[in-house]
Structure formats: C-alpha cells, structure tokens
Amino acid sequence: MELSKEKLISREKHKVELTSGTIYGADGDDSNSPAASTCSNESKFAAEHPEAEAYLQHLLNDGCNEGDSGYDMELPPWYDDKLFKQGQSFMQKYRFVIQSGMLSGLVAVLAIPSILKILICTRQSSTPTTAYKRYVRTMQHTNAWYKYSATDKNSKFWTSLRAVRKAHSRSSRACAKLAAGQITQKDLALTQFGFIGFLSLGAHRIQLYDEQFLEATSHMWRVLGYLLGIKDEYNICGRNWAESKLRLDIVMRKVYEPALENTTTEFYDMAKALLDGLWHINTTLTVGSFIFFTKRLCYVRGYEYFDFDDRPGRQRDPEQRLYYKDMSWIDRFIVFYGLLMVTYLHKYDIFRWYLNFRTWLNEQLIEYFPYVAILKFGPKWAFVRIFNGRGGENEFEYHLKEE
C-alpha cells in the first residue's frame, strides 16, 4: 500500500534535476527563482547570525576530525539541577510529541552520510529485526534519562549513559578498523539534533508556546550531550535556549534540509528497515507517511501540507510537485490523522492526555508484553532489556560488518 522504492528514488532524482540548475548556477543567473530565493534567505540568515554560522563551520570543518571529548562522566560545572529536573518533568506533559520528534530525528540522521556509514558498518538498523531492537533500546535509554536522578551516581541514569558511551567508543574503534570512519564530534552533535531539533524548532507548528519547556529541554540535552562525549564547543545546545535555537536552526537549514532533499537509495533502504521494525511497536506506522512527516518537519520542498508549512520568508514555487499526492490512500489518511491530532488537538488537555496515555501504554507493552514482536521475531528477540536484574547494564550486541 506504500510507495514503491523505485518511485521514491525516481522522484528524488526528479527533485535534483529541477533544482540543480538554479542552486549550482548551471543555467546562469536566475535571481527570481524559488531556489535562488532560498539561497538568498540562507545567506541572509548566516549574515544576521554570525555566531551561529561560526559554530556550524567549526562543527563541519573541525568536528569531523575529533572523536569522543574525553570528558569524565561527571556533571558539568554549568549544570543547573532545577532546570534539568524541569526538563525531565516535561516527559509527563508532552510524552507523545517528545517521542514522535525523536523518531523523526532517528529517520533524519540516516540522511547524514557519515552516520549512515557507521550504522551500516555496525548493522544495528539494516533489517527490521535489528532496527526494532535498536529503537527499543534507544527508547529505553532516553526514558531512563528522563526518569532517573542525575545527582545520584548509583541511579540507572548513570548506568544507561555509561553503557551508551561505551557502545559508541567500541563501535567507533571497530568501524575505524573497517575503514568506515569513526564516530566524530560532528556525528555526535548531528545525532543530538535528532533528539531535540524537530521537537523544539517545530514547537510553534503544533501551537506549543511553552518557553520554559524549551529552556529546560535545551539545558537537559546540553547536559546529556556533555555526558555522552560532546565538547562544549560542538554541543548543539548552547548556554540558553536563544543560543540553542540559532545552532539548531542553522544545522537544520544547511545540513539536514539539503540532505533530506537529496536522499539516496541507502537512506531509503535503512529508513524502510527502521520503520518496518517499528511497525511492531506502532502498527499505524508506514514508510511513506513517516518519511513525509520527517521531510515536512525539515521544510523540504514538496512536502508542505498546510499553508504555513513554508519556511518563513521563503518563496513557494507554484510548479513544485506536492509529493503528498503521490502517496497511497492509507499513507494519506495517516498523514491527515497525525497532523490533525498534533497541529490542532494536541493543545487541548484531553487530547494531549489521550496521546500521552497511548504512548505510555505502548511503552508498557514493549517492556512487558510485546505481543506483535513476539509473533514476528519470537520471545528471545522481542524482549529488550538495557538493565539486568541487579540494575546494571546489559551488554550491547554487535553485528559488525565483516571487512
């Protein structure tokens, strides 16, 4: 019922053909074109925010040459306990949109070539089976970061973070030996965007105008980034929300939006494996609808749904194909239903409670009785545990690609 792989790849090539002449100057001066207008807007943004542009250039040019920060697993000197706990508390109020934003982020990072290369090497997401396990594990770790105390060094908060950082280190060394590259500061920061970028930058699009939520969430993920090995100079979350917003915005404009505009066959294959695996968690997920959601969040041309889906200040191309029209009826219904719920109904307490409860119930089923996954993968693979019976970490399973 979803778009075929060939059709998705074909339309991506069509987009490149339409835009390559104006973006890269192959057709000469076309200053009135939508693409030229986009370039002008990006240049204007960079000129108006030189600190954000400097951050991005440092991240892309220098961050790709550095691995783990080497920071000790200790809270940073700028840690604010009150603000961090506020960030954690918002999981109860906004559970559905937090989890949804993270899932879109997981799909989006597959468009970053260096990150995709590492994932292919580690074989953590290459099939629905491994992708299911990887996402469940990721969800359990992030839930631990929101749930447990950061000031108690014996809590599962620290157990989880140590396990993830150790896994990153091991994967980085193994992939470097296999010539797939190492996990760099750039990769860590761009992955950090996946956890917070769409949620925070897209808050106004779901009428979420909670400034304290944005400030506290920004601080929380700044701390988590630090503890996961990101140097302060590369951390996509700055000293406050105002600084974080500029960093997140320029990364989305100049890294994620171009990457998602020109996705590859490998991106589609990995995204399909990931989303097919997640279907066993949420059976309303389809590949076509969720790729649409992700590209829409990143302002990719042709993935507009509402009139306000254009990036502010950007000229809409009247000849742009709307890819929503290429989708199957089931994908269209899921997009309609999902956007109706989050754009117009999520702001009301009763609907937010319903969405949060449904998300929480799914998490409980995944933890204690993942019946759909059991039927597909068997009990041994369907049950995922990041902690052992004593509260310690369970070792990650690796499926490294052979040289």
Side-chain angles (χ1 to χ4, degrees), residues 95-116:
R95 181 178 296 273
F96 173 76
V97 292
I98 289 174
Q99 297 287 16
S100 299
M102 288 181 186
L103 177 52
S104 282
L106 276 177
V107 172
V109 298
L110 299 176
I112 307 300
S114 57
I115 297 176
L116 181 60

Side-chain angles (χ1 to χ4, degrees), residues 31-235:
S31 57
N32 293 322
S33 71
S37 174
T38 298
C39 292
S40 176
N41 288 336
E42 302 310 326
S43 298
K44 182 179 179 182
F45 180 87
E48 291 177 349
H49 304 288
E51 67 281 11
E53 178 67 18
Y55 164 79
L56 179 65
Q57 294 307 316
H58 182 46
L59 177 66
L60 298 182
N61 296 326
D62 302 319
C64 60
N65 298 316
E66 299 186 46
D68 186 276
S69 65
Y71 291 159
D72 292 334
M73 292 290 288
E74 300 287 345
L75 291 172
W78 37 261
Y79 171 79
D80 185 320
D81 189 58
K82 180 180 178 181
L83 204 55
F84 189 89
K85 287 179 178 177
Q86 282 182 336
Q88 288 181 309
S89 70
F90 281 114
M91 175 60 87
Q92 301 304 315
K93 187 174 183 180
Y94 300 122
R95 181 178 296 273
F96 173 76
V97 292
I98 289 174
Q99 297 287 16
S100 299
M102 288 181 186
L103 177 52
S104 282
L106 276 177
V107 172
V109 298
L110 299 176
I112 307 300
S114 57
I115 297 176
L116 181 60
K117 197 172 183 180
I118 294 288
L119 289 172
I120 292 173
C121 176
T122 58
R123 294 183 177 179
Q124 293 296 298
S125 308
S126 301
T127 67
T129 307
T130 56
Y132 163 82
K133 202 159 192 174
R134 176 200 167 215
Y135 179 71
V136 172
R137 197 169 57 217
T138 299
M139 183 187 70
Q140 290 176 345
H141 279 295
T142 53
N143 282 344
W145 303 340
Y146 273 95
K147 182 177 180 180
Y148 297 107
S149 172
T151 53
D152 179 3
K153 291 302 292 286
N154 296 317
S155 76
K156 291 181 179 179
F157 173 90
W158 289 97
T159 302
S160 168
L161 284 168
R162 284 192 293 267
V164 172
R165 193 163 175 184
K166 184 169 71 174
H168 285 173
S169 177
R170 181 177 172 183
S171 296
S172 185
R173 291 195 305 270
C175 290
K177 290 179 181 179
L178 296 173
Q182 65 169 332
I183 299 176
T184 65
Q185 288 288 300
K186 182 196 76 173
D187 296 330
L188 289 171
L190 293 182
T191 302
Q192 189 184 17
F193 175 95
F195 285 93
I196 185 178
F198 293 138
L199 169 67
S200 57
L201 292 178
H204 69 284
R205 297 171 77 179
I206 59 172
Q207 303 180 54
L208 200 168
Y209 303 109
D210 191 334
E211 287 297 317
Q212 192 57 35
F213 163 72
L214 296 170
E215 193 69 55
T217 300
S218 170
H219 179 75
M220 178 183 172
W221 280 98
R222 186 187 183 203
V223 173
L224 291 172
Y226 177 97
L227 294 174
L228 289 170
I230 304 178
K231 292 183 177 180
D232 287 342
E233 63 198 89
Y234 297 116
N235 200 315

